[in-house]
Amino acid sequence: MAITPATQKNNPANVSLGKTNVTGYAYWAPKGTDLPSDASTALAQTYIGLGYIGEDGITNASDSETTDVKEMGGESVMSIITSYSETYQFVLIEAMRKSAAQIRYGEKNVTGEDGALSITHTMPDDTEFVLVVELALTGDKKDRFVIPRAVRKEFGDRTLSGTEVLGYDVTLGALPSDLIGGGTSREYIGAATSSSIGK
């Protein structure tokens, strides 16, 4: 039977909170790495976890600009979307984790291993990479965001004190990619699996 507005009912099973997976929230891999095409398939071992993210979570923001077309009397007769951009902002609170430091300062500017790092503070690295963000949903579901062309965009201040956790406040831009039909990111919602994900 076809679903019509009159027969379609609200379903509480479609309401969910976003929680962490056991293995983490966010992963990165070099540009060109194979992209997942669903919510459940385990990520390749090339993907590296970024560790704990601060309690405010991940903010996925979008920005668009429009131009209004007016007729000679001043009335708007058409509105055209002229630009669109998308970002992902979060705070990486495992400051001694190599992959977290690399997201902030660039892969080439961080050497060593977790807990024993050498970090060169310099001009931000504009190298593109793949970003995958994942959340566990209610009902054994997963919400996966795939960003084929992520770039470092903005960085928050770091407070060096004995009362605040050390971390990296990063905003990553999502550039349009032909790999997902010209989109900036692609979201997959589906069944979760217990298989290992990334590193």
Side-chain angles (χ1 to χ4, degrees), residues 40-52:
S40 59
T41 301
L43 296 177
Q45 291 299 311
T46 312
Y47 286 87
I48 302 173
L50 299 180
Y52 284 120

Side-chain angles (χ1 to χ4, degrees), residues 96-113:
M96 294 183 285
R97 187 180 183 116
K98 185 176 183 178
S99 60
Q102 286 177 325
I103 286 296
R104 167 58 181 88
Y105 294 102
E107 187 175 2
K108 296 181 294 184
N109 297 319
V110 181
T111 58
E113 300 300 330

Side-chain angles (χ1 to χ4, degrees), residues 53 56-61 87-92 131 154 156 168-173:
I53 288 174
D56 290 335
I58 300 168
T59 299
N60 173 213
T87 59
Y88 290 81
Q89 182 275 330
F90 45 85
V91 179
L92 298 166
L131 177 71
E154 296 178 5
Y168 308 117
D169 182 346
V170 297
T171 299
L172 304 178

